[in-house]
Amino acid sequence: MGLPMVPLPNEAVLNKKAKQLLQRLLNACVHANSNPSRVDEIARCVNALIDAFPMEAMESQMKGFVDCLQRSFESEEWHNPTHQAGPISNIVYLLSRLGQNASLELMSESYELSNNSSPNTHSYVLKALLQGSNPQECTDQIVKAASAICDYWWNSEACNERIKTLQYSMMLFAQSLMMLIGQWNQGSLPDFPEKILKDRVRLVLFEILVEVLKTQNSDGSWGPESSGESTAYAYITLASLAPFPLSGQLKSQLDVAIQRGRDFLLQRFTYPAEPEIFRRNQIHPAARFSAEAYSIAALRIPIAQQMSGNGVADLCTFEEPSLKRIQRMSTLPFFSAMPDWLIRACIVTGYLYFPLFDAKRKAIFPRRDIKQNRQWHVLPFAIVASSQWRGGSFSSDIKLEFMVFASMLYEVDHYMEAMIGGFDGVELDDVRQIVHQIFDNELTDPQIPDNQQPKAQPTNPSSSSTFLRAHNLADVHATLHRVTSYALSHPSVLVASHHDRTLLRHELRTYYLAQVTSAAESASLSSSSSSSSSGGSPPPQPFHSWVHTTSAQHIGGLVTFAFLACLNSPSAQQDTFPTPLAKYLAQDLNLHAAVLCRMENDIGSVARDRAEGNLNSVDFGEFDSSATISFDNNNGGSSSSDDDVAIKTHDLRLLADYERSAYQTALARLQDLVPGKVLRGLRAYCNVVDLYGEIYAMEDISPRLAR
């Protein structure tokens, strides 16, 4: 049952409410006995009201706060800096706003000593530093605080359900980072690294915006209990982000969300505000003051105009023309039920990830033999969208690592096609030996230059007729060694459980060996085709056997799944999939998803595979029989090549549908067997599989080899 309608409060009513609350806060401050936590809570309430109301309207109370806070600061309790960075920074921030020359020394000392500060503390400190008379002098600590906020948002452990559901933390992040951009845009921070703003800050702010918009309840509120306090935090977050130029990409939804949130707060205005669940057990009365203060402030806080200036304009550039292909992909069935604004948000977020992803990708695997590659703008969009829909979710750091790892496997796939595609059987055995040598020996430091990496020697020198072949083998060794070092030396892999690390190592070795086997199969198919006027003999093994072994291993899905399992591993002592049944079902899901990926890839790449001499699923004899039956049923007429391909890909699609149902069955069984974070990651991974299947059905986006 909804709340009854109430008259809209006018400005005078809100001002009166704010003054009454300020007086109660002042009385509480006087009786707080310099207790840091109590004074801290009071200071936060006062700061919230200052954000929303003109200072001159509260002048009499503000003088009282100055005296009270300065007396509190003289207390010995404030001069133990080890655990006081948060409260001290809130007092310093408030005193600075009240025109006092608050010393930053105690706060800075406390902050330097606080190695395990909460994410909220970093926001408090950042706001205090930026409010100071000369923030440029504090650039190093500003960098530290801003970077820590971004790290907390990105980190898979810090950005957990608690942070995601507490609107208060997101409000602080938005307020402090927007203050940072504002100061930088005005030229007050000439030494602040622009790279941090471009690589991290703008992306964190936009992801916070999307998160807040996406989690609004149907009644306009936020939070699991539709509380006024949680709604006030979210509303202030949106008000803080409204001036951010990238927020303009979602302006229509932002305006709607702000209006709906305001309507909800207006309904609750005449009723006592309840503190959030996580704060109800606090004994001091300021906890209840906070709910009231932020609710009043939200109703009065102004929605500022969009920022302007060359700095912020460059920071928030969004190049629409480069994303036309992605915009066309947003019409796929995967997005049929996704709101238009969320599709737009995924496009923009993928665009913001791209510079980070592209730089990291190129550093690991520079390529010289690709004619065109339409993949790299699609990949960030696909992973972001898959993490925003149908119960899927990856933290920001895992999204980026997924992009990089997936691109790395694409690169390995096409590198191996180009490099060993013409090798004979003996030379392919040399490549297999290289793979085993890499995994059987201890990996060297991944930072060692390639020209200093150990070089493989062919087992049979006569098998390489030219120096070029020997050089190619050495290049294969150096390349696979570099990729392997990156994967197995990744910080998240190093702290994963022994089982998860061992599985990744096994799947990566198997993936490389499958590349070699695939090269041999394609060479056999090409040889058969050139010696036969009928287009070559089908591979000798059953399609079911091949697609569940070499094919599934070659596509890269199995090793990607193992890598993501390491990134999601709870600890070195705990496996991502904790029980034998969970492990079995996860492997079953992984295999069916990999087979599905290969089938859908092959459906979209028949023309490319035939042009490049690669084995495709439809080359197997099972599909020849289906085409023959079809033509016999059509009065025995001869078929064109296009008709033949259409029939074969139709049958392959039926098999793909079966594989999809199989992995969905495994996913359903895993629901009650794994932690929530792992389950959301599984759903996001399956979303990627489904989305890429639809993308390949639309067009072949794989890069072309320069032969």
Side-chain angles (χ1 to χ4, degrees):
M1 180 175 173
L3 291 169
M5 294 298 294
V6 297
L8 301 185
N10 59 33
E11 186 172 315
V13 173
L14 287 172
N15 287 344
K16 182 180 178 180
K17 285 273 189 180
K19 285 185 177 182
Q20 291 173 344
L21 177 57
L22 277 171
Q23 189 59 52
R24 287 153 52 206
L25 287 167
L26 180 56
N27 294 338
C29 187
V30 170
H31 294 92
N33 298 320
S34 300
N35 182 296
S37 62
R38 296 187 183 184
V39 176
D40 171 43
E41 187 83 23
I42 292 167
R44 282 188 259 165
C45 294
V46 177
N47 277 318
L49 293 172
I50 292 176
D51 288 337
F53 293 87
M55 192 80 72
E56 56 270 18
M58 305 176 287
E59 187 173 355
S60 59
Q61 288 95 344
M62 292 307 164
K63 290 180 180 178
F65 278 112
V66 170
D67 295 338
C68 183
L69 295 175
Q70 287 181 337
R71 285 197 304 271
S72 294
F73 241 170
E74 294 171 1
S75 169
E76 291 183 4
E77 291 190 61
W78 289 93
H79 291 271
N80 176 13
T82 308
H83 304 294
Q84 302 297 324
I88 292 173
S89 58
N90 277 315
I91 305 305
V92 168
Y93 178 53
L94 178 53
L95 287 172
S96 296
R97 300 180 82 182
L98 297 178
Q100 304 301 306
N101 293 321
S103 172
L104 297 175
E105 293 180 4
L106 180 60
M107 183 190 73
S108 298
E109 180 185 358
S110 174
Y111 188 48
E112 289 299 327
L113 292 174
S114 301
N115 295 323
N116 297 310
S117 297
S118 72
N120 294 353
T121 294
H122 296 298
S123 296
Y124 299 144
V125 170
L126 181 56
K127 292 167 76 172
L129 292 170
L130 293 170
Q131 185 65 34
S133 58
N134 192 355
Q136 183 179 350
E137 294 180 353
C138 306
T139 298
D140 288 346
Q141 283 201 320
I142 290 173
V143 169
K144 174 185 174 182
S147 299
I149 292 168
C150 293
D151 288 344
Y152 268 101
W153 179 260
W154 276 56
N155 183 268
S156 57
E157 290 301 318
C159 194
N160 55 24
E161 289 183 13
R162 183 172 184 272
I163 293 294
K164 286 282 190 179
T165 55
L166 293 186
Q167 299 294 338
Y168 183 74
S169 294
M170 290 192 282
M171 178 190 71
L172 290 179
F173 295 170
Q175 289 177 323
S176 56
L177 293 178
M178 284 298 292
M179 280 185 68
L180 171 63
I181 289 180
Q183 292 274 23
W184 173 80
N185 190 49
Q186 294 170 10
S188 302
L189 295 170
D191 298 328
F192 189 90
E194 186 175 347
K195 181 175 174 59
I196 295 177
L197 296 173
K198 283 193 170 183
D199 286 356
R200 307 291 297 280
V201 172
R202 66 174 185 171
L203 180 51
V204 169
L205 286 173
F206 193 78
E207 286 195 319
I208 290 174
L209 172 65
V210 175
E211 184 69 21
V212 175
L213 292 176
K214 194 176 74 167
T215 54
Q216 188 174 28
N217 298 323
S218 59
D219 62 359
S221 69
W222 279 269
E225 293 189 334
S226 297
S227 77
E229 184 181 7
S230 185
T231 301
Y233 295 149
Y235 184 91
I236 294 171
T237 303
L238 295 182
S240 301
L241 291 171
F244 187 43
L246 282 173
S247 298
Q249 297 292 333
L250 305 177
K251 187 178 187 308
S252 295
Q253 182 64 21
L254 177 59
D255 290 345
V256 169
I258 287 175
Q259 185 59 53
R260 292 175 63 225
R262 182 175 176 80
D263 290 344
F264 179 86
L265 289 171
L266 287 169
Q267 285 184 318
R268 290 290 179 101
F269 180 70
T270 58
Y271 297 85
E274 285 293 327
E276 291 290 336
I277 295 172
F278 75 102
R279 288 155 26 82
R280 287 180 188 164
N281 293 327
Q282 296 182 13
I283 59 173
H284 56 89
R288 190 171 297 277
F289 290 157
S290 182
E292 188 177 355
Y294 281 98
S295 295
I296 293 174
L299 286 172
R300 185 65 168 75
I301 196 166
I303 308 296
Q305 296 296 314
Q306 190 175 101
M307 285 181 175
S308 60
N310 293 334
V312 75
D314 179 62
L315 182 66
C316 298
T317 298
F318 181 73
E319 298 177 4
E320 199 84 39
S322 65
L323 302 174
K324 287 183 178 179
R325 177 174 290 106
I326 293 176
Q327 290 168 339
R328 187 161 66 90
M329 289 177 179
S330 67
T331 63
L332 292 168
F334 180 89
F335 298 102
S336 60
M338 184 182 285
D340 290 343
W341 76 264
L342 187 53
I343 296 174
R344 180 69 179 174
C346 293
I347 292 173
V348 176
T349 306
Y351 177 87
L352 296 177
Y353 269 101
F354 182 79
L356 288 169
F357 153 68
D358 198 47
K360 200 166 186 179
R361 175 186 67 82
K362 289 176 179 176
I364 300 169
F365 208 113
R367 289 296 307 274
R368 300 174 299 276
D369 56 348
I370 295 292
K371 288 182 179 178
Q372 58 175 328
N373 195 339
R374 297 169 286 178
Q375 172 69 19
W376 304 139
H377 277 287
V378 174
L379 185 57
F381 165 69
I383 290 176
V384 167
S386 297
S387 185
Q388 289 284 9
W389 198 234
R390 301 197 302 201
S393 179
F394 290 126
S395 61
S396 300
D397 62 336
I398 291 182
K399 284 198 286 273
L400 179 60
E401 293 302 331
F402 190 176
M403 295 171 198
V404 173
F405 194 79
S407 71
M408 191 170 66
L409 296 187
Y410 278 114
E411 298 279 27
V412 170
D413 184 17
H414 293 277
Y415 168 84
M416 293 292 275
E417 285 183 26
M419 186 62 72
I420 69 174
F423 281 13
D424 60 30
V426 175
E427 290 166 327
L428 290 176
D429 285 340
D430 288 335
V431 177
R432 291 188 181 93
Q433 182 190 2
I434 287 171
V435 172
H436 291 304
Q437 183 181 11
I438 289 172
F439 285 91
D440 292 342
N441 297 333
E442 285 294 322
L443 289 173
T444 57
D445 188 327
Q447 302 301 318
I448 294 178
D450 289 343
N451 59 9
Q452 296 180 25
Q453 299 284 8
K455 304 298 183 181
Q457 299 298 324
T459 55
N460 182 357
S462 64
S463 68
S464 293
S465 58
T466 66
F467 170 80
L468 179 61
R469 290 300 176 92
H471 172 78
N472 285 350
L473 286 172
D475 191 79
V476 168
H477 184 284
T479 298
L480 297 186
H481 186 279
R482 182 171 63 247
V483 172
T484 305
S485 295
Y486 174 81
L488 299 185
S489 301
H490 189 283
S492 294
V493 173
L494 293 176
V495 298
S497 72
H498 174 74
H499 173 273
D500 291 344
R501 285 186 282 112
T502 301
L503 181 60
L504 173 60
R505 191 180 185 94
H506 165 77
E507 295 292 5
L508 191 55
R509 183 199 295 247
T510 303
Y511 170 70
Y512 292 155
L513 294 175
Q515 295 290 328
V516 182
T517 302
S518 179
E521 291 172 340
S522 293
S524 175
L525 177 70
S526 178
S527 174
S528 174
S529 298
S530 63
S531 62
S532 172
S533 59
S534 63
S537 303
Q541 68 189 111
F543 174 67
H544 182 276
S545 173
W546 174 82
V547 79
H548 285 87
T549 52
T550 302
S551 170
Q553 296 156 0
H554 171 269
I555 200 68
L558 301 179
V559 65
T560 300
F561 190 92
F563 181 71
L564 292 175
C566 286
L567 267 56
N568 263 318
S569 186
S571 69
Q573 289 74 40
Q574 188 175 354
D575 300 337
T576 300
F577 301 99
T579 66
L581 178 58
K583 288 179 174 65
Y584 187 89
L585 290 171
Q587 288 298 98
D588 191 53
L589 182 154
N590 190 13
L591 179 59
H592 287 298
V595 171
L596 174 62
C597 283
R598 177 57 189 251
M599 290 178 175
E600 293 186 318
N601 188 320
D602 282 1
I603 289 170
S605 62
V606 174
R608 174 175 60 87
D609 286 337
R610 290 189 173 178
E612 296 180 358
N614 299 323
L615 181 62
N616 188 287
S617 294
V618 300
D619 294 323
F620 281 78
E622 290 88 335
F623 297 95
D624 284 336
S625 62
S626 70
T628 302
I629 293 171
S630 176
F631 294 132
D632 288 344
N633 290 338
N634 284 282
N635 300 320
S638 61
S639 70
S640 68
S641 175
D642 290 343
D643 290 337
D644 180 59
V645 169
I647 292 169
K648 291 180 176 181
T649 54
H650 169 76
D651 289 333
L652 184 56
R653 196 178 302 279
L654 295 177
L655 301 183
D657 290 341
Y658 169 78
E659 294 294 337
R660 179 178 289 104
S661 66
Y663 91 65
Q664 289 173 342
T665 298
L667 179 61
R669 290 288 304 277
L670 280 165
Q671 271 189 166
D672 299 324
L673 299 176
V674 296
K677 174 188 170 184
V678 175
L679 180 61
R680 291 189 296 274
L682 282 172
R683 288 171 175 161
Y685 179 79
C686 292
N687 286 345
V688 173
V689 172
D690 287 343
L691 178 53
Y692 260 90
E694 294 181 9
I695 290 173
Y696 270 107
M698 173 183 283
E699 62 176 295
D700 179 11
I701 60 172
S702 296
R704 306 287 173 160
L705 293 175
R707 295 291 188 184

PDB file of all heavy atoms in Angstrom, residues 576-587:
ATOM      1  N   THR A 576      36.827 -22.254  -6.770  1.00  0.00           N
ATOM      2  CA  THR A 576      35.675 -21.492  -7.260  1.00  0.00           C
ATOM      3  C   THR A 576      34.426 -22.362  -7.277  1.00  0.00           C
ATOM      4  O   THR A 576      33.333 -21.912  -6.919  1.00  0.00           O
ATOM      5  CB  THR A 576      35.967 -20.952  -8.667  1.00  0.00           C
ATOM      6  OG1 THR A 576      37.117 -20.097  -8.598  1.00  0.00           O
ATOM      7  CG2 THR A 576      34.794 -20.170  -9.217  1.00  0.00           C
ATOM      8  N   PHE A 577      34.577 -23.605  -7.697  1.00  0.00           N
ATOM      9  CA  PHE A 577      33.476 -24.568  -7.673  1.00  0.00           C
ATOM     10  C   PHE A 577      33.794 -25.564  -6.554  1.00  0.00           C
ATOM     11  O   PHE A 577      34.662 -26.423  -6.700  1.00  0.00           O
ATOM     12  CB  PHE A 577      33.333 -25.246  -9.028  1.00  0.00           C
ATOM     13  CG  PHE A 577      33.062 -24.255 -10.137  1.00  0.00           C
ATOM     14  CD1 PHE A 577      34.087 -23.811 -10.964  1.00  0.00           C
ATOM     15  CD2 PHE A 577      31.794 -23.734 -10.332  1.00  0.00           C
ATOM     16  CE1 PHE A 577      33.856 -22.884 -11.962  1.00  0.00           C
ATOM     17  CE2 PHE A 577      31.540 -22.798 -11.324  1.00  0.00           C
ATOM     18  CZ  PHE A 577      32.571 -22.365 -12.143  1.00  0.00           C
ATOM     19  N   PRO A 578      33.108 -25.453  -5.411  1.00  0.00           N
ATOM     20  CA  PRO A 578      33.610 -26.059  -4.173  1.00  0.00           C
ATOM     21  C   PRO A 578      33.439 -27.561  -4.028  1.00  0.00           C
ATOM     22  O   PRO A 578      34.165 -28.172  -3.246  1.00  0.00           O
ATOM     23  CB  PRO A 578      32.807 -25.319  -3.085  1.00  0.00           C
ATOM     24  CG  PRO A 578      31.555 -24.857  -3.771  1.00  0.00           C
ATOM     25  CD  PRO A 578      31.951 -24.579  -5.190  1.00  0.00           C
ATOM     26  N   THR A 579      32.490 -28.186  -4.734  1.00  0.00           N
ATOM     27  CA  THR A 579      32.216 -29.606  -4.526  1.00  0.00           C
ATOM     28  C   THR A 579      32.475 -30.387  -5.809  1.00  0.00           C
ATOM     29  O   THR A 579      32.525 -29.815  -6.902  1.00  0.00           O
ATOM     30  CB  THR A 579      30.744 -29.815  -4.106  1.00  0.00           C
ATOM     31  OG1 THR A 579      29.893 -29.437  -5.202  1.00  0.00           O
ATOM     32  CG2 THR A 579      30.406 -28.967  -2.882  1.00  0.00           C
ATOM     33  N   PRO A 580      32.624 -31.709  -5.692  1.00  0.00           N
ATOM     34  CA  PRO A 580      32.798 -32.516  -6.909  1.00  0.00           C
ATOM     35  C   PRO A 580      31.656 -32.324  -7.907  1.00  0.00           C
ATOM     36  O   PRO A 580      31.890 -32.246  -9.118  1.00  0.00           O
ATOM     37  CB  PRO A 580      32.841 -33.952  -6.370  1.00  0.00           C
ATOM     38  CG  PRO A 580      33.350 -33.813  -4.972  1.00  0.00           C
ATOM     39  CD  PRO A 580      32.785 -32.530  -4.462  1.00  0.00           C
ATOM     40  N   LEU A 581      30.414 -32.260  -7.412  1.00  0.00           N
ATOM     41  CA  LEU A 581      29.287 -32.067  -8.320  1.00  0.00           C
ATOM     42  C   LEU A 581      29.369 -30.702  -9.008  1.00  0.00           C
ATOM     43  O   LEU A 581      29.140 -30.596 -10.224  1.00  0.00           O
ATOM     44  CB  LEU A 581      27.960 -32.187  -7.555  1.00  0.00           C
ATOM     45  CG  LEU A 581      26.684 -31.962  -8.386  1.00  0.00           C
ATOM     46  CD1 LEU A 581      26.614 -32.943  -9.551  1.00  0.00           C
ATOM     47  CD2 LEU A 581      25.441 -32.070  -7.500  1.00  0.00           C
ATOM     48  N   ALA A 582      29.711 -29.664  -8.256  1.00  0.00           N
ATOM     49  CA  ALA A 582      29.825 -28.331  -8.851  1.00  0.00           C
ATOM     50  C   ALA A 582      30.930 -28.299  -9.903  1.00  0.00           C
ATOM     51  O   ALA A 582      30.767 -27.703 -10.978  1.00  0.00           O
ATOM     52  CB  ALA A 582      30.091 -27.290  -7.763  1.00  0.00           C
ATOM     53  N   LYS A 583      32.054 -28.943  -9.610  1.00  0.00           N
ATOM     54  CA  LYS A 583      33.157 -28.993 -10.582  1.00  0.00           C
ATOM     55  C   LYS A 583      32.728 -29.722 -11.854  1.00  0.00           C
ATOM     56  O   LYS A 583      33.028 -29.283 -12.979  1.00  0.00           O
ATOM     57  CB  LYS A 583      34.373 -29.682  -9.965  1.00  0.00           C
ATOM     58  CG  LYS A 583      35.109 -28.871  -8.898  1.00  0.00           C
ATOM     59  CD  LYS A 583      36.286 -29.661  -8.351  1.00  0.00           C
ATOM     60  CE  LYS A 583      37.127 -28.823  -7.397  1.00  0.00           C
ATOM     61  NZ  LYS A 583      36.411 -28.430  -6.174  1.00  0.00           N
ATOM     62  N   TYR A 584      32.038 -30.845 -11.687  1.00  0.00           N
ATOM     63  CA  TYR A 584      31.613 -31.639 -12.850  1.00  0.00           C
ATOM     64  C   TYR A 584      30.628 -30.851 -13.707  1.00  0.00           C
ATOM     65  O   TYR A 584      30.750 -30.792 -14.936  1.00  0.00           O
ATOM     66  CB  TYR A 584      30.978 -32.945 -12.371  1.00  0.00           C
ATOM     67  CG  TYR A 584      30.660 -33.912 -13.488  1.00  0.00           C
ATOM     68  CD1 TYR A 584      31.607 -34.847 -13.914  1.00  0.00           C
ATOM     69  CD2 TYR A 584      29.423 -33.894 -14.118  1.00  0.00           C
ATOM     70  CE1 TYR A 584      31.323 -35.731 -14.950  1.00  0.00           C
ATOM     71  CE2 TYR A 584      29.137 -34.765 -15.148  1.00  0.00           C
ATOM     72  CZ  TYR A 584      30.088 -35.685 -15.564  1.00  0.00           C
ATOM     73  OH  TYR A 584      29.808 -36.549 -16.592  1.00  0.00           O
ATOM     74  N   LEU A 585      29.642 -30.240 -13.057  1.00  0.00           N
ATOM     75  CA  LEU A 585      28.647 -29.469 -13.801  1.00  0.00           C
ATOM     76  C   LEU A 585      29.277 -28.255 -14.483  1.00  0.00           C
ATOM     77  O   LEU A 585      28.899 -27.894 -15.607  1.00  0.00           O
ATOM     78  CB  LEU A 585      27.527 -29.019 -12.860  1.00  0.00           C
ATOM     79  CG  LEU A 585      26.588 -30.115 -12.349  1.00  0.00           C
ATOM     80  CD1 LEU A 585      25.665 -29.570 -11.267  1.00  0.00           C
ATOM     81  CD2 LEU A 585      25.772 -30.707 -13.499  1.00  0.00           C
ATOM     82  N   ALA A 586      30.242 -27.627 -13.811  1.00  0.00           N
ATOM     83  CA  ALA A 586      30.914 -26.478 -14.421  1.00  0.00           C
ATOM     84  C   ALA A 586      31.676 -26.901 -15.671  1.00  0.00           C
ATOM     85  O   ALA A 586      31.640 -26.206 -16.700  1.00  0.00           O
ATOM     86  CB  ALA A 586      31.864 -25.826 -13.413  1.00  0.00           C
ATOM     87  N   GLN A 587      32.357 -28.029 -15.604  1.00  0.00           N
ATOM     88  CA  GLN A 587      33.077 -28.519 -16.770  1.00  0.00           C
ATOM     89  C   GLN A 587      32.114 -28.922 -17.890  1.00  0.00           C
ATOM     90  O   GLN A 587      32.393 -28.719 -19.077  1.00  0.00           O
ATOM     91  CB  GLN A 587      33.967 -29.703 -16.385  1.00  0.00           C
ATOM     92  CG  GLN A 587      35.180 -29.324 -15.556  1.00  0.00           C
ATOM     93  CD  GLN A 587      36.111 -28.396 -16.326  1.00  0.00           C
ATOM     94  OE1 GLN A 587      36.076 -27.172 -16.167  1.00  0.00           O
ATOM     95  NE2 GLN A 587      36.939 -28.963 -17.179  1.00  0.00           N
TER      96      GLN A 587
END
